[in-house]
Amino acid sequence: MLSMKALEIHAGDEVIIPSNTFIATALAVTYTGATPVFVEPDIKTYDIDPGKIEEKINDKTKAVIVVHLYGQPCVMDPIVRICKKHNLFLIEDCAQAHGATYKGKRVGSFGDAAGFSFYPGKNLGALGDAGAATTNSKEIADKIRALGNYGSDYKYHHIYQGNNSRLDELQAAFLTAKLPSLDKVNDNRRATAKKYLDGIKNPEVILPYVNPDTNPVWHLFAIRCKRRDELKIFLNSKGIGTNEHYPIPMHEQEAYKDLGFKHGDFPIAEEISDTELSIPMYYGMTDEEVEYVIDSINLFC
């Protein structure tokens, strides 16, 4: 939201976002007064499909937000080209992708600005709510700082109608201590993901696709299964926790009923919502725990 406000996106504008993401991405657009425009994901990667973006661009379009969902980087080259071609801002939602890379370059460094979440469950998490924006532009950075501090560029001097979005010092201290370990944490998750990819053989389970140009950080390990609910019950009965990301797509949420969409309008997002199941993925999983999850999934029939 702060990044879009700094880029002067406002009421009457449209911002393209993926149809398959957590609702926070859409809400950030809404909070600026602009309208979110949904674009379907690639069914293999779950990230926004670059080939479907241009058909949604019109005179009102001001920006594209990509979401590196589940820690899987988007295919950035074509998206960067599209944004340059149409003179659109490019914003990255990196909430789940701290340290992930596309062609050796870290996410958060491709667009005009990017947002990171430091919610406690993230790969780099605080001990409370926290977040940050990144940009290569000093002008945008200064404006974001001011907008997040009541619109103030210095004490009691307010140049924008901002709000209080400051990161408190305690959370900053926790994050500063944890940041040097981020690559270690991500490598551990990658090792767990490799075991899952190599070990899960159940033909009813669709494993995540890894684009060879990307190095994911596996914030979530999202499998898909047509019998998702049965698989969830089966795994839970064996003491294996699971989650669904996200069981109701944004266009079917009551919060966005004013956009006028109905079931069937975004079939790929709907299919992912109906079949996705996140299995255990966290730093420090033991080999025994990983093998137990693998064996349990392979037993499901």
Side-chain angles (χ1 to χ4, degrees), residues 43-44 46 202-208 222-228 231 268 271-278:
I43 190 62
K44 288 170 63 179
Y46 312 143
N202 192 319
E204 293 205 43
V205 172
I206 300 171
L207 294 170
I223 62 176
R224 287 197 298 119
C225 180
K226 292 290 186 183
R227 297 164 56 206
R228 189 263 308 278
L231 176 58
I268 300 176
E271 180 175 345
I272 294 170
S273 291
D274 289 341
T275 59
E276 189 276 342
L277 189 69
S278 298

Side-chain angles (χ1 to χ4, degrees), residues 31-52:
Y31 294 157
T32 70
T35 300
V37 175
F38 302 133
V39 168
E40 287 275 68
D42 182 324
I43 190 62
K44 288 170 63 179
T45 66
Y46 312 143
D47 288 332
I48 194 168
D49 186 339
K52 292 183 169 69

Side-chain angles (χ1 to χ4, degrees), residues 32-204:
T32 70
T35 300
V37 175
F38 302 133
V39 168
E40 287 275 68
D42 182 324
I43 190 62
K44 288 170 63 179
T45 66
Y46 312 143
D47 288 332
I48 194 168
D49 186 339
K52 292 183 169 69
I53 292 175
E54 284 194 282
E55 63 191 52
K56 294 295 183 75
I57 295 173
N58 59 46
D59 291 343
K60 295 182 180 180
T61 310
K62 292 297 186 292
V64 174
I65 299 179
V66 298
V67 181
H68 305 293
L69 197 66
Y70 309 148
Q72 298 272 6
C74 295
V75 178
M76 294 306 300
D77 284 351
I79 298 173
V80 170
R81 285 195 297 268
I82 289 168
C83 289
K84 287 181 177 178
K85 175 183 174 182
H86 295 277
N87 196 29
L88 302 176
F89 295 119
L90 174 57
I91 300 166
E92 296 175 74
D93 183 335
C94 304
Q96 300 181 354
H98 315 66
T101 62
Y102 171 75
K103 292 188 175 180
K105 186 178 179 181
R106 298 210 188 217
V107 299
S109 60
F110 290 91
D112 297 282
F116 288 82
S117 166
F118 301 132
Y119 183 78
K122 297 297 194 282
N123 292 36
L124 177 62
L127 274 74
D129 281 318
T134 61
T135 178
N136 282 334
S137 165
K138 183 179 184 303
E139 179 184 357
I140 295 171
D142 288 344
K143 195 167 183 180
I144 289 173
R145 288 190 185 99
L147 285 165
N149 186 30
Y150 298 108
S152 173
D153 55 347
Y154 61 88
K155 195 171 181 68
Y156 300 134
H157 185 258
H158 305 271
I159 52 178
Y160 310 113
Q161 294 180 5
N163 54 292
N164 180 5
S165 294
R166 295 171 300 194
L167 176 66
D168 74 72
E169 291 86 346
L170 186 61
Q171 300 306 329
F174 288 135
L175 291 164
T176 299
K178 293 177 72 175
L179 180 58
S181 300
L182 176 60
D183 288 340
K184 175 184 175 183
V185 169
N186 287 341
D187 285 343
N188 180 266
R189 287 172 175 265
R190 290 179 180 122
T192 298
K194 187 176 187 307
K195 293 171 189 172
Y196 279 154
L197 292 169
D198 291 343
I200 296 174
K201 304 294 185 182
N202 192 319
E204 293 205 43

